[in-house]
Amino acid sequence: MDRQKQRMTLTAAAMLVPLMAACGNEKTDAGSGSVGAGKPATVTGVRWNVDSVTAGGKTQKAPSGAHVTLDKGRAEGSLGCNKFGAPATVEGDRVRLGRTMSTEMACENKPMEFEQTLARTLSGREFEAQADGDRLTLTTGQGDTVRLTKAKDAPLSGTQWTVTAPDTDGRAHLTFDTKKGTVSGSLGCNKVHAEATVRDGHITLGRPATTRMMCEDSLMSDEKALLRLFDGKLKYAVDHQTLTLTSENGTRVRAVAA
């Protein structure tokens, strides 16, 4: 691991750092979870990608990865690189955020000025929320504005899902084709192909056909774990860019969209 990665990893593991003091009327319950007098829209339990922030009359475009989720009395997400969290309340068209805490990673190729602006704008503030379809605008009494767009889940079919648990160093991946009724990919060492029927939140996998290469022991162990998904019925769930597969025998696999 190089010195830059070491510094980033150690910093990310450190205690979260407060950015600003909370406002005096902070609450910790989630509230109704809907905004907009004319067109109520659910904003809680949704990942919102940050498009831009306007503060002090200056608008800054958000980097990819900046997002926020309001759920269970919390606001959590990413400023673009650093993660953050804060108590949150949603009541009618009002969203109140308490004291915001953030990691302090030094990130390459990320606009730190934007992160600092967004952090200051979010911390200890009350917003008027206006929802319009997949778009959400949060505006403070001083006119500072955060514009967001609802994040879409990656499609199950046609996406290459890279397995993260078990950890195969990114070598294992699966791609479902719901039109053909198949799944194919790599178990980390050997290639795999099987029938796959998707229906009502479940995937029924057929018996796998694989190549027969011998690899290092760790990869072969992970392959055996992945093979336990096949020839049976799985529950599946897609949350933004993450796929979770759970078999009836208790095998659980997580993967992310490539």
Side-chain angles (χ1 to χ4, degrees):
M1 184 182 290
D2 59 36
R3 188 173 301 173
Q4 177 68 10
K5 277 190 175 180
Q6 281 185 328
R7 182 162 69 91
M8 290 173 64
T9 302
L10 290 173
T11 307
M15 183 181 299
L16 293 174
V17 179
L19 295 170
M20 285 184 67
C23 56
N25 60 353
E26 172 187 316
K27 297 181 182 179
T28 58
D29 60 290
S32 66
S34 297
V35 299
K39 297 190 294 182
T42 299
V43 299
T44 57
V46 176
R47 173 172 166 140
W48 296 97
N49 290 334
V50 180
D51 298 325
S52 67
V53 58
T54 300
K58 180 181 178 181
T59 298
Q60 298 180 52
K61 185 178 179 181
S64 61
H67 68 274
V68 59
T69 300
L70 300 161
D71 198 19
K72 298 178 181 178
R74 294 282 300 170
E76 295 182 342
S78 170
L79 301 170
C81 168
N82 285 284
K83 296 179 179 180
F84 75 93
T89 302
V90 179
E91 293 180 343
D93 65 348
R94 298 288 161 175
V95 176
R96 301 180 185 89
L97 299 188
R99 188 180 190 183
T100 303
M101 310 283 284
S102 171
T103 57
E104 285 192 318
M105 292 193 298
C107 307
E108 295 182 357
N109 303 318
K110 292 289 185 179
M112 300 309 292
E113 181 184 356
F114 173 86
E115 293 211 354
Q116 293 165 3
T117 301
L118 180 59
R120 286 194 301 267
T121 303
L122 292 177
S123 191
R125 308 292 289 276
E126 178 175 325
F127 300 88
E128 178 185 357
Q130 294 182 333
D132 183 9
D134 289 341
R135 296 188 180 277
L136 177 67
T137 303
L138 302 177
T139 306
T140 69
Q142 293 74 38
D144 295 341
T145 302
V146 182
R147 292 181 172 83
L148 312 98
T149 301
K150 183 178 180 180
K152 292 179 172 58
D153 292 337
L156 173 68
S157 181
T159 299
Q160 179 173 299
W161 296 100
T162 300
V163 176
T164 57
D167 184 5
T168 60
D169 292 328
R171 299 185 191 185
H173 57 84
L174 299 170
T175 301
F176 294 88
D177 188 326
T178 54
K179 290 184 179 179
K180 294 181 178 179
T182 62
V183 62
S184 59
S186 171
L187 299 170
C189 172
N190 286 284
K191 294 181 180 179
V192 65
H193 182 86
E195 293 183 351
T197 303
V198 181
R199 184 178 293 114
D200 300 329
H202 291 80
I203 304 173
T204 301
L205 295 182
R207 184 169 296 180
T210 69
T211 54
R212 304 212 170 185
M213 293 189 296
M214 294 299 295
C215 302
E216 55 263 40
D217 291 344
S218 61
L219 276 180
M220 298 307 293
S221 176
D222 290 333
E223 287 208 356
K224 290 178 181 178
L226 291 174
L227 282 171
R228 287 197 287 270
L229 290 175
F230 291 83
D231 204 12
K233 193 174 184 178
L234 315 172
K235 289 182 180 179
Y236 82 92
V238 177
D239 182 8
H240 186 51
Q241 300 290 308
T242 300
L243 170 67
T244 303
L245 301 171
T246 307
S247 70
E248 292 178 328
N249 62 26
T251 300
R252 186 180 177 89
V253 170
R254 288 172 62 86
V256 296

